[in-house]
């Protein structure tokens, strides 16, 4: 009997509760507790991944009840991959963020870790669960923790941004809940597989159509697809950097995962692409999202804000790929979940290092950064290349699949948008590099003649190690993307 | 006319929940005061709860507590599913109520913070203050 | 036949909801909102959802209203719409 | 914005109404929702769990995993309110009232703290003379409210109620204490630290019971694993549910008090309604 599927979500939850108690009793213990919890969770995720690769889908019955009656964790290749991604990113970020947390939230350290762990618990649960309503509760945990965190760092603008985030987030979650209600009314079940089985008999029903639309709109709001993206940039750029680093790469990607899960497992691709004729409209929406995200990113003056708009742009890639209606597009979208999470995490890790040293990351503050923080900037450059899609890095491969999928489906506008947005990203990042590299020379900063001898002021070693690890993984996932494709994604799509 | 009444009786609950939900959503989008928006949010959520509870309702059935089973040793009289209301939506909605009150509390705390900072809760005034800075 | 009671209470609920979002005094909103919650709780009791009604009575009509009044106490009663 | 909002609302409403077209009638006993899972629950719960209140049984056993996260949501809300509002900076000025004479002292030195008691009474800008009737009535009422709350928690298996409702009622009894006396009284009785720890401990009781089941070799949350340590194996599921309901009750009580205290005093924990 092994309980890894339960442990993966219970370990961080238990750690969160213990660190919640320790934050009142003895604050020094909170960080080790958090580390242990996350470590255990990562270990279980690894075990699960290996098990799934070996012997196929794992079913874990919560409370021992048979699936449609009780809640079931159903972990197949896609879940296992995303679980591994979430838990390892959260673990590495925990290692890297000790100093950031100390700097940004010094009197509420313990509570920070509690909230952080609850957030990760929510994400892991969302990914692992096989129950529609359980998914809603876990989405609410992730949202509630994000609301708290967004308001925490920036005392001035944070609360307002967070309140707006609440309004939009609640609308999104409620739409999803309504969709589940409509589904429940038609099927009488909440288990994803069970619902899918019943739905295949009643495909023409208008109720099911409305349920599908409501679920999708709810999830799109939560993932910030273009017209519903307004909450994301403010929310993510005001959050403490240690939290932004995990919320920015993971939250939206997990929501993309939820969308794909609903499409593949619950409603079925057959129903979506053959019975409904919405695919073209959604691909257009994704195209607009990509272009709009890119253009809005161009007009930003703050590094964090710019990156958040790039996230909006990347969501367009994944939604478009998933709705392309062919296997290439879908597999590209799934591969991009993995790659984009890694790339965004790498970028935000670098930003975290900068914030630790510079406090603010408006473009003006970045001058001469190549000299001051060479390692951080090296990681940043690599991540930026990956976002742009330069071949050896992983960003290239998923984009390649997406473009191929677009050509196969005849969605040339989407392919064009992909290429244009890559160009926009290239412009954006070279603008940043230019500022970081050249500008102090031309301005002749008041530091006297110190051209070659800018004092190196790097971030602490723990943060650099995390950056290095992720940079290596960017290349590694790129090189092994064929393996990932053949072992994980294609078998999942069957 | 005689056909219409059964239809209305069968569906009015769902229609009225839609109206309630529209009221809530309208308040959330169009009202100017942040606290009013929060009220709208709560109305929206309770409307959804009403919808779920309506799903669970069965005519000619009683509340979902098995009668005569106190202590429940050994054999019982046979239980007919038609006699009891569907308990599952109630369970889901208990959870949803809890989630909504948690969100409400956090939102109230945030509203207090916003007021501390800007001395107003009107959205247009807030926008003006933000553009001034 | 529960539906006449149900319909009457539902109408009340909708009136309370409209009143709660259109009154120009936030304390008034708080009280109307409490009334709304209580009506909702009645409605659910009529539909046989006793546990949900109980929860709504203690949460919606009770604690939520208290939080609401507390927040209004710390902010302002004034509202433009 | 109003116009845009109106359009969005109308579109959403239209969509939802369109979806209702194929709904089964309200209260139809043969609708899919009332036949598929619901029948299984109604017919099997009593033999499988020995708990007559179906809602509690489904809530704490079949879907206990949801409820665990629901409790975590509540905990998270309490923590969020604390993080957002709590303000540890001491107040600059204090006011005291000399009870026998009614003279009010204005103390400007933040380090000088008078001992309050018979002679001096702490007061704030919203101070109102305490009302004897309200105080007395609440003093009589509060213990009964609390006993009722405990009853609701303990009797959740058999009648409407359960940990969450009981917790809210207990929490509101604390809030009533704060309203009828003043906030200081409540904080003097129950320290902030205690509330914070209780909130976590409540959830921990739930997760702990669930995790113990895992230690005994069954699945997570499977109360039947508790048979070796329970005095009444026949009702093991009912007892397991009672245990988790108590946990929920503790957490909810603490969180309700935390949210109220922080909102009403803007996180300063000194003066309130």
């Amino acid at each position: 009997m092994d309980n890894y599927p339960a442990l993966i979500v219970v370990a961080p939850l238990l750690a969160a509760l213990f660190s919640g108690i320790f934050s009142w009793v003895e604050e020094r213990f909170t960080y080790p507790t958090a580390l242990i919890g996350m470590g255990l969770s990562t270990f279980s995720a690894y075990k699960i991944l290996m098990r799934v690769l070996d012997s196929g889908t794992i079913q874990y019955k919560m409370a021992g009840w048979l699936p449609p009656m009780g809640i079931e964790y159903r972990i197949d290749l896609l879940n296992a991959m995303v679980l591994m991604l979430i838990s390892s990113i959260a673990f590495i970020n925990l290692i890297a963020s000790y100093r950031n947390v100390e700097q940004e939230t010094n009197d509420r350290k313990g509570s920070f870790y509690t909230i952080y762990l609850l957030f990760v618990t929510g994400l892991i649960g969302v990914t692992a669960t096989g129950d529609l309503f359980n998914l809603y509760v876990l989405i609410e945990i992730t949202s509630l923790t994000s609301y708290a965190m967004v308001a925490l760092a920036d005392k001035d603008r944070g609360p307002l941004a967070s309140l707006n985030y609440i309004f939009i987030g609640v609308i999104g979650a409620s739409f999803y809940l309504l969709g589940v209600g409509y589904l429940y009314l038609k099927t009488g079940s909440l288990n994803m597989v069970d619902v899918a089985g019943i739905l295949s008999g009643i495909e023409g029903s208008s109720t099911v159509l409305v349920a599908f639309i409501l679920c999708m709109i709810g999830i799109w709001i939560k993932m910030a697809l273009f017209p519903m993206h307004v909450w994301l940039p403010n929310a993510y750029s005001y959050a403490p950097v240690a939290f932004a680093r995990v919320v920015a790469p993971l939250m939206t990607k997990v929501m993309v995962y939820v969308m794909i899960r609903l499409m593949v497992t619950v409603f079925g691709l057959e129903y979506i692409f053959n019975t409904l004729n919405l695919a073209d409209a959604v691909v257009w929406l994704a195209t607009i999202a990509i272009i709009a995200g890119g253009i809005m990113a161009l007009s930003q003056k703050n590094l964090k804000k710019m990156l958040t708009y790039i996230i909006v742009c990347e969501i367009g890639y994944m939604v478009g790929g998933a709705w392309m209606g062919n296997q290439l597009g879908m597999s590209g979208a799934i591969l991009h979940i993995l790659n984009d999470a890694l790339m965004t995490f790498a970028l935000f890790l670098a930003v975290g290092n900068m914030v630790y040293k510079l406090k603010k990351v408006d473009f003006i503050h970045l001058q001469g950064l190549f000299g001051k923080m060479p390692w951080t900037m090296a990681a940043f450059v690599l991540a930026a290349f990956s976002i742009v899609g330069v071949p050896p890095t992983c960003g290239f491969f998923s984009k390649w699949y997406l473009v191929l999928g677009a050509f196969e489906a005849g969605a040339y506008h989407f392919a064009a948008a992909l290429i244009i947005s890559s160009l926009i990203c290239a412009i954006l990042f070279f603008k940043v590099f230019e500022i970081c590299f050249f500008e102090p020379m031309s301005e002749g900063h008041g530091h006297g003649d110190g051209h070659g001898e800018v004092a190196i002021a790097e971030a602490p070693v723990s943060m650099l190690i995390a950056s290095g690890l992720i940079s290596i993984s960017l290349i590694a996932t790129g090189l092994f993307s064929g393996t990932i494709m053949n072992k994980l994604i294609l078998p999942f799509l069957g | 006319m005689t056909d219409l009444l059964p239809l209305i009786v069968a569906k009015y609950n769902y229609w009225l929940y839609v109206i309630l939900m529209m009221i809530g959503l309208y308040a959330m989008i169009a009202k100017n005061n942040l606290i009013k928006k929060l009220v709208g949010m709560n109305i929206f959520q309770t409307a959804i709860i009403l919808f779920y509870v309506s799903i669970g309702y069965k005519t000619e059935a009683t509340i979902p507590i098995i009668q005569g089973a106190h202590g429940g040793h050994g054999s019982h009289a046979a239980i007919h599913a038609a006699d009891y209301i569907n308990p599952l939506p109630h369970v889901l909605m208990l959870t949803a109520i809890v989630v909504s009150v948690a969100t409400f509390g956090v939102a109230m705390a945030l509203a207090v913070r916003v007021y501390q900072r800007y001395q107003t809760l009107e959205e247009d005034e807030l926008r003006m203050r933000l553009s001034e800075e | 036949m529960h539906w006449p009671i149900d319909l009457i209470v539902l109408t009340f609920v909708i009136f309370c909801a409209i009143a709660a979002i259109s009154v120009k005094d936030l304390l008034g909103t708080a009280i109307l909102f409490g009334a709304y919650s209580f009506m909702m709780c009645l409605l659910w009791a009529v539909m046989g959802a006793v546990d949900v009604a109980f929860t709504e009575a203690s949460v919606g009509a009770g604690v939520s209203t208290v939080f609401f009044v507390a927040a209004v106490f710390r902010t302002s009663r004034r509202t433009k719409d | 914005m109003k116009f845009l909002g109106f359009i969005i609302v109308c579109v959403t409403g239209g969509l939802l109404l369109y979806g209702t077209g194929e709904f089964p009638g309200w209260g139809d006993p043969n609708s899919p929702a009332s036949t598929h899972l619901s029948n299984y629950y109604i017919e099997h719960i009593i033999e499988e769990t020995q708990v007559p209140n179906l809602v509690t049984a489904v809530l704490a056993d079949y879907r206990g995993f949801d409820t665990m996260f629901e409790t975590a949501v509540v905990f998270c809300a309490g923590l969020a309110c604390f993080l957002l509002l709590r303000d540890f900076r001491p107040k600059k000025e204090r006011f005291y009232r000399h009870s026998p004479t009614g003279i009010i002292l204005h103390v400007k030195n933040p380090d000088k703290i008078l001992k309050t008691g018979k002679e001096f009474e702490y007061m704030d800008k919203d101070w109102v003379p305490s009302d004897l009737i309200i105080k007395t009535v609440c003093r009589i009422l509060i213990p009964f409210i609390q006993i009722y709350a405990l009853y609701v928690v303990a009797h959740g298996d058999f009648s409407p109620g359960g940990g969450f409702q009981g917790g809210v009622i207990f929490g509101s009894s604390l809030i009533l204490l704060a309203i009828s006396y003043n906030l200081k009284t409540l904080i003097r009785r129950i320290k902030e630290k205690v509330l914070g720890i209780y909130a976590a401990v409540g959830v921990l009781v739930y997760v702990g019971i669930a995790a113990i089941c895992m230690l005994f070799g069954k699945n997570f949350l499977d109360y039947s694993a508790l048979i070796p340590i329970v005095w009444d194996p026949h009702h093991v599921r009912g007892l397991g549910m009672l245990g988790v309901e108590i946990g929920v009750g503790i957490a909810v009580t603490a969180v309700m008090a935390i949210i109220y205290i922080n909102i009403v005093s803007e996180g300063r924990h000194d003066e309130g309604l």
Side-chain angles (χ1 to χ4, degrees), chain A residues 347-413:
Chain A
L347 281 176
F348 270 82
L349 267 177
V351 171
N353 294 2
M354 294 175 199
V355 169
Y356 183 69
K357 282 290 169 197
L358 306 175
K359 308 289 185 290
K360 279 186 183 159
V361 285
D362 293 335
F363 286 160
I364 318 161
H365 302 108
L366 299 178
Q367 293 173 352
L369 212 58
F370 270 106
K372 260 191 270 176
M373 307 175 80
W375 294 106
T376 304
M377 283 313 289
F380 185 77
V381 169
L382 191 67
F385 278 165
S386 187
I387 291 258
V388 175
V390 180
T393 53
C394 59
F396 169 75
F397 294 95
S398 44
K399 277 192 186 175
W400 178 246
Y401 283 110
L402 288 173
V403 170
L404 284 183
F407 277 120
E408 194 186 303
Y412 298 107
H413 52 91

Side-chain angles (χ1 to χ4, degrees), chain B residues 43-62:
Chain B
I43 291 175
F44 185 52
Q45 284 172 326
T46 33
I48 293 173
I49 298 171
L50 175 62
F51 166 62
Y52 268 82
V53 171
S54 310
I55 298 176
Y57 181 67
K58 278 195 249 181
T59 44
E60 317 293 324
T62 182

